[in-house]
Amino acid sequence: MAENGKNCDQRRVAMKNEQHNGSFTDPSSMNEKKRRDREERQNIVLWRQPLITLQYFSLEILVILKEWTSKLWHRQSIVVSFLLLLAVLIATYYVEGAHQQYVQRIEKQFLLYAYWIGLGILSSVGLGTGLHTFLLYLGPHIASVTLAAYECNSVNFPEPPYPDQIICPDEEGVEGTISLWSIISKVRIEACMWGIGTAIGELPPYFMARAARLSGAEPDDEEYQEFEEMLEHAETAQDFASRAKLAVQNLVQKVGFFGILACASIPNPLFDLAGITCGHFLVPFWTFFGATLIGKAIIKMHIQKIFVIITFSKHIVEQMVTFIGAVPGIGPSLQKPFQEYLEAQRQKLHHRSEMGTPQGENWLSWMFEKLVIVMVCYFILSIINSMAQSYAKRIQQRLNSEEKTK
């Protein structure tokens, strides 16, 4: 690994020498031009240049489709094998027989796993900005299971409708039998699948940095350029943010597997830097992904689960509602919607949603639904902006290459 890194460094030094010898433009002017190009791309957003952004977004989709079509055309054997496998699966799914009970069970589990893994990937893949699916989906799901478990005195919710809807089982549970471990076990599959998705979403920074190191090229990626600048000015770093990033980079570089595991096991907004560090220093894939998977899908996930379950346990929720009511002046008016919401949830759990439930939607649930819609819309907008800027980058690269050949 050290020899590979040395060869990559020599290749990059050679490229820089060519720049200084006149093969390319002056380094300072190149950096200035890169900065101007980056600023120009950052202005291509829907709220500033809507028509150009939508045009570039559409063209980028066409370019990506063309690239993927070309790749698939050159891998015809893989495509044919996949189509044959797909045909067998479709036939198995639609043909009647005794196997249908197993097919339905596999389908249910597959959709459940795919749903939570997909949400995990969206949370960390970072297409412009990550969708905070823990706060929007997994966290509320764990909270709902916790509240229902204490209300029903059981976690044996009828399936179906669980997990789409939670209702109490017909058999009354014994009060006081719900434990922290029983709730953790109930949501373990959803939480672990979400954690696996977040680990998969951390792979792009690793592959980007690894490819850049092996090829000797310098990708026009802000995080990667920030990482290289940090390495150059490591000794003079003074601010807290730079020191924190250096601490993550040193931990991953020097400790290896257990350093990556430590960074992945806690809520860490700087973990993208760990992926870039591992890719840059050519850390083996399974060392990086194995530590990330264990840290995110097992250790970190259990920490987050325990925190949510404790926060939404019955006595804590009752204390929070009482505390809200004790706020001078506005306490009772703030406390009322919380009490109505909790009472409505209790009645739904006991099949009494049609009896005595206040008509109209509770403003807490209304606000949360609108928050989810706003965040999903912003995530979609960020993808459109990011893809439009990618196409603008293609145009800039083509113009720069044409200028060099003149």
Side-chain angles (χ1 to χ4, degrees):
M1 190 175 77
E3 186 177 350
N4 289 336
K6 185 177 180 181
N7 293 335
C8 294
D9 287 337
Q10 291 174 349
R11 195 181 309 159
R12 181 167 295 181
V13 169
M15 291 181 67
K16 289 184 177 180
N17 288 338
E18 287 182 0
Q19 292 177 358
H20 287 294
N21 291 335
S23 298
F24 301 103
T25 56
D26 182 66
S28 60
S29 62
M30 280 187 64
N31 292 334
E32 179 65 23
K33 190 174 190 322
K34 284 183 178 181
R35 186 186 61 80
R36 289 199 307 267
D37 288 346
R38 192 179 303 112
E39 290 177 353
E40 183 181 336
R41 290 198 304 272
Q42 289 173 349
N43 288 324
I44 301 176
V45 289
L46 279 169
W47 45 88
R48 291 181 181 174
Q49 303 181 56
L51 296 179
I52 293 178
T53 303
L54 291 174
Q55 179 188 4
Y56 282 8
F57 168 71
S58 303
L59 293 172
E60 179 68 10
I61 289 179
L62 293 177
V63 170
I64 292 173
L65 289 175
K66 182 180 177 181
E67 290 177 350
W68 275 98
T69 302
S70 176
K71 290 179 180 178
L72 292 175
W73 180 257
H74 289 91
R75 294 170 175 81
Q76 295 180 14
S77 59
I78 298 176
V79 174
V80 171
S81 301
F82 175 77
L83 292 176
L84 289 174
L85 178 61
L86 184 62
V88 171
L89 292 175
I90 292 174
T92 305
Y93 184 80
Y94 284 104
V95 173
E96 295 294 334
H99 66 281
Q100 282 298 323
Q101 58 177 329
Y102 303 106
V103 170
Q104 293 174 5
R105 189 180 305 170
I106 293 172
E107 179 190 14
K108 179 183 177 182
Q109 293 299 318
F110 174 78
L111 292 176
L112 176 67
Y113 294 167
Y115 175 75
W116 288 110
I117 289 174
L119 288 178
I121 293 173
L122 289 176
S123 179
S124 61
V125 73
L127 291 172
T129 179
L131 181 64
H132 303 292
T133 53
F134 182 84
L135 295 176
L136 297 180
Y137 296 98
L138 183 59
H141 174 71
I142 297 174
S144 299
V145 171
T146 303
L147 293 172
Y150 282 105
E151 179 63 27
C152 304
N153 295 311
S154 173
V155 292
N156 298 319
F157 310 124
E159 299 184 30
Y162 182 84
D164 298 324
Q165 182 185 358
I166 304 176
I167 58 176
C168 290
D170 295 331
E171 302 82 8
E172 289 290 336
V174 180
E175 189 169 355
T177 57
I178 293 300
S179 65
L180 178 67
W181 180 253
S182 62
I183 302 175
I184 289 176
S185 301
K186 187 66 178 177
V187 296
R188 179 179 291 119
I189 295 296
E190 295 93 329
C192 287
M193 291 301 107
W194 186 86
I196 290 172
T198 61
I200 295 173
E202 299 293 353
L203 292 179
Y206 170 82
F207 285 125
M208 179 270 298
R210 184 179 179 87
R213 183 71 186 273
L214 291 173
S215 65
E218 296 185 2
D220 192 8
D221 180 88
E222 292 183 12
E223 288 185 344
Y224 187 78
Q225 290 181 351
E226 182 182 352
F227 170 77
E228 290 204 320
E229 290 176 2
M230 183 188 70
L231 292 181
E232 292 176 2
H233 305 94
E235 297 180 357
T236 59
Q238 298 293 331
D239 59 293
F240 175 78
S242 297
R243 289 183 177 180
K245 292 177 181 179
L246 279 172
V248 171
Q249 185 256 324
N250 290 331
L251 180 66
V252 170
Q253 183 184 358
K254 295 178 180 178
V255 183
F257 179 90
F258 292 102
I260 303 168
L261 182 64
C263 291
S265 299
I266 57 174
N268 184 3
L270 301 177
F271 192 78
D272 278 353
L273 185 64
I276 293 174
T277 300
C278 291
H280 181 80
F281 290 104
L282 304 179
V283 173
F285 170 78
W286 286 111
T287 300
F288 170 72
F289 186 66
T292 303
L293 189 64
I294 294 171
K296 286 185 172 289
I298 299 177
I299 302 175
K300 179 184 173 184
M301 203 60 259
H302 276 82
I303 294 173
Q304 291 177 306
K305 275 194 297 184
I306 291 171
F307 174 79
V308 174
I309 292 169
I310 292 175
T311 302
F312 286 89
S313 60
K314 187 176 181 179
H315 64 285
I316 295 291
V317 171
E318 291 174 349
Q319 288 176 4
M320 286 193 294
V321 173
T322 304
F323 177 77
I324 292 173
V327 176
I330 61 173
S333 58
L334 287 176
Q335 186 186 47
K336 184 178 179 181
F338 283 95
Q339 291 175 331
E340 290 178 351
Y341 176 77
L342 292 173
E343 181 60 29
Q345 297 307 308
R346 291 191 186 100
Q347 293 181 3
K348 287 181 181 179
L349 291 171
H350 293 288
H351 311 273
R352 294 196 300 248
S353 58
E354 72 281 356
M355 299 170 54
T357 304
Q359 296 297 317
E361 192 176 24
N362 184 275
W363 68 270
L364 285 175
S365 58
W366 183 88
M367 285 185 61
F368 183 76
E369 288 175 2
K370 297 304 178 283
L371 175 64
V372 171
I373 293 173
V374 168
M375 294 191 71
V376 170
C377 290
Y378 181 74
F379 180 65
I380 294 173
L381 291 178
S382 70
I383 293 176
I384 294 174
N385 293 335
S386 178
M387 293 184 69
Q389 291 169 7
S390 296
Y391 187 78
K393 181 180 176 181
R394 293 178 189 270
I395 296 176
Q396 291 172 348
Q397 289 175 339
R398 186 173 67 247
L399 293 176
N400 291 337
S401 62
E402 289 176 356
E403 289 178 0
K404 290 176 183 179
T405 54
K406 289 181 180 180

